[in-house]
Amino acid sequence: MANIKSQIKRNRQNEKRRLRNRVYRGSARTFIRKANAAIESGNLDEARAAVLRAQKALDKAAEKGIIHKNNAARRKSRLMKRFAALLNKAV
C-alpha cells in the first residue's frame, strides 16, 4: 500500500476507472461474441442486428479511450468480413 497521499488518491482513481472501463470492454466482447454466433447460425436478420450492436459497442469503447480506435476498426473490419461472407452465401 502506498504511503504517499497523492499515490493513495491515484490508486482510488485508477480502481474507479478500471471498473468503469470493464463495463464497456466487456459489453463490446459480449456483443462481438453474439454477432459471431448469429453469423454462424446463418440467420441474416439476427446477424445484421447483432453486428450493428457490436459495432456500436466497439465505437463507444474507442470513443471513451478504453480501446484504441485502430483496434476497434480492426475488430469491426473482421466482423464485417464474416457478415459479408454470410451475405454472399445467402445470395
Side-chain angles (χ1 to χ4, degrees):
M1 188 65 194
N3 294 322
I4 299 163
K5 209 172 189 180
S6 61
Q7 189 58 47
I8 292 169
K9 180 179 178 179
R10 176 67 59 200
N11 287 341
R12 277 198 317 264
Q13 290 173 333
N14 287 341
E15 184 62 18
K16 274 185 185 178
R17 288 188 182 116
R18 184 184 72 82
L19 293 174
R20 196 177 307 132
N21 290 346
R22 275 184 70 190
V23 173
Y24 292 103
R25 192 179 301 119
S27 67
R29 281 190 195 137
T30 301
F31 285 128
I32 289 170
R33 199 174 305 117
K34 286 180 180 179
N36 284 329
I39 291 169
E40 289 296 318
S41 74
N43 186 341
L44 203 58
D45 294 329
E46 185 183 319
R48 181 177 284 117
V51 166
L52 288 175
R53 281 194 302 269
Q55 281 186 330
K56 186 175 179 180
L58 285 168
D59 283 336
K60 193 171 275 194
E63 181 182 293
K64 294 185 180 297
I66 295 162
I67 61 174
H68 194 276
K69 65 184 178 95
N70 290 351
N71 186 322
R74 184 180 66 241
R75 291 183 192 196
K76 286 181 353 187
S77 172
R78 288 176 181 168
L79 197 58
M80 288 308 294
K81 199 185 217 179
R82 289 189 200 105
F83 182 64
L86 174 66
L87 283 176
N88 289 338
K89 196 185 298 182
V91 171

